[in-house]
Amino acid sequence: MPKLAFLRQFVTHPGDIGAMFETSQVVARHVAELACVREAKTVVEWGAGTGAVTGAIVDALPKSGKLLAFEINPAFCRLLGRRFPNIRVVKDSAVLTKQYLRDAGVERCDAIISGLPFAGFDETTQNALLDVIVESLRPGGAFVTFGYAQLRLLPGGRKIRAKLEERFKVVEKTPTIWRNIPPAFAYRVFNPPAAA
């Protein structure tokens, strides 16, 4: 059912949906692992969609952990609320992450996982989101974003890589994950905590 809902929203709102197919479980589990969700207290997800990655986060998150899943598509928000009644689904812009963390009583989160199509955003939006990541992550916390493998070679993809390298000391790219349509990859970026 989520796969059909995803395709329906892509057909009716192609400008708002960054992919034609739902993310595979292989990618979803890999992304949750890269973000060290099993050790996290608070995780933020951007662009939760129908919950393909959300499910992997929920499966890995400790029972006491919090997940704030951001999604602006109303149909996806309703679906997420039904599928995952124990998480906070936020129907708002990811730019407001810091505000919603404060409302949840959290100063900084342990991980931000993004399925947003960064390369498709205008530069102002890209910069605003990247600033939010730096402001919202605890020292050593990871930002993990994934996308289509072929897009990283295009000018927009190379620009995003450069922007990540401007803001983070560690930028790691995974090998291509072939078990996804189309093949995907992920970045894991973070700023190590200051030495004691």
Side-chain angles (χ1 to χ4, degrees), residues 95-103 107-108 132 135-136:
V95 171
L96 299 173
T97 293
K98 192 73 175 158
Q99 172 188 318
Y100 282 95
L101 284 171
R102 278 196 301 266
D103 291 348
E107 183 60 31
R108 289 176 176 257
V132 167
E135 294 165 5
S136 301

Side-chain angles (χ1 to χ4, degrees), residues 119-187:
F121 294 148
D122 62 75
E123 191 157 8
T124 301
T125 303
Q126 289 174 354
N127 289 336
L129 288 169
L130 290 167
D131 290 344
V132 167
I133 295 164
V134 173
E135 294 165 5
S136 301
L137 278 178
R138 65 163 175 79
F143 171 65
V144 178
T145 185
F146 58 95
Y148 295 153
Q150 70 274 20
L151 297 182
R152 75 178 187 273
L153 303 174
L154 297 176
R158 292 198 301 272
K159 192 172 185 180
I160 288 298
R161 169 80 188 230
K163 285 178 179 287
L164 290 172
E165 290 174 342
E166 285 172 11
R167 288 171 172 82
F168 294 93
K169 291 187 172 75
V170 180
V171 177
E172 302 170 340
K173 186 190 77 60
T174 68
T176 299
I177 305 165
W178 296 102
R179 291 175 62 189
N180 193 73
I181 302 173
F185 79 105
Y187 283 123

Side-chain angles (χ1 to χ4, degrees), residues 9-152:
Q9 290 302 309
F10 176 80
V11 170
T12 56
H13 306 286
D16 296 334
I17 311 296
M20 186 172 181
F21 299 103
E22 201 179 40
T23 304
S24 73
Q25 286 305 296
V26 172
V27 170
R29 286 192 294 268
H30 188 54
V31 164
E33 186 178 320
L34 286 172
C36 300
V37 170
R38 291 190 188 283
E39 292 86 48
K41 293 178 183 173
T42 305
V43 176
V44 171
E45 182 185 11
W46 289 350
T50 56
V53 176
T54 312
I57 298 170
V58 168
D59 288 346
L61 195 65
K63 285 187 179 177
S64 60
K66 295 179 182 177
L67 171 59
L68 278 68
F70 282 76
E71 177 54 58
I72 59 170
N73 181 292
F76 287 167
C77 287
R78 289 191 295 272
L79 179 60
L80 288 164
R82 289 194 301 270
R83 288 187 70 191
F84 307 104
N86 296 322
I87 70 166
R88 174 86 189 271
V89 177
V90 180
K91 185 184 174 294
D92 212 335
S93 169
V95 171
L96 299 173
T97 293
K98 192 73 175 158
Q99 172 188 318
Y100 282 95
L101 284 171
R102 278 196 301 266
D103 291 348
V106 177
E107 183 60 31
R108 289 176 176 257
C109 61
D110 300 293
I112 297 174
I113 296 173
S114 175
L116 297 176
F118 263 80
F121 294 148
D122 62 75
E123 191 157 8
T124 301
T125 303
Q126 289 174 354
N127 289 336
L129 288 169
L130 290 167
D131 290 344
V132 167
I133 295 164
V134 173
E135 294 165 5
S136 301
L137 278 178
R138 65 163 175 79
F143 171 65
V144 178
T145 185
F146 58 95
Y148 295 153
Q150 70 274 20
L151 297 182
R152 75 178 187 273

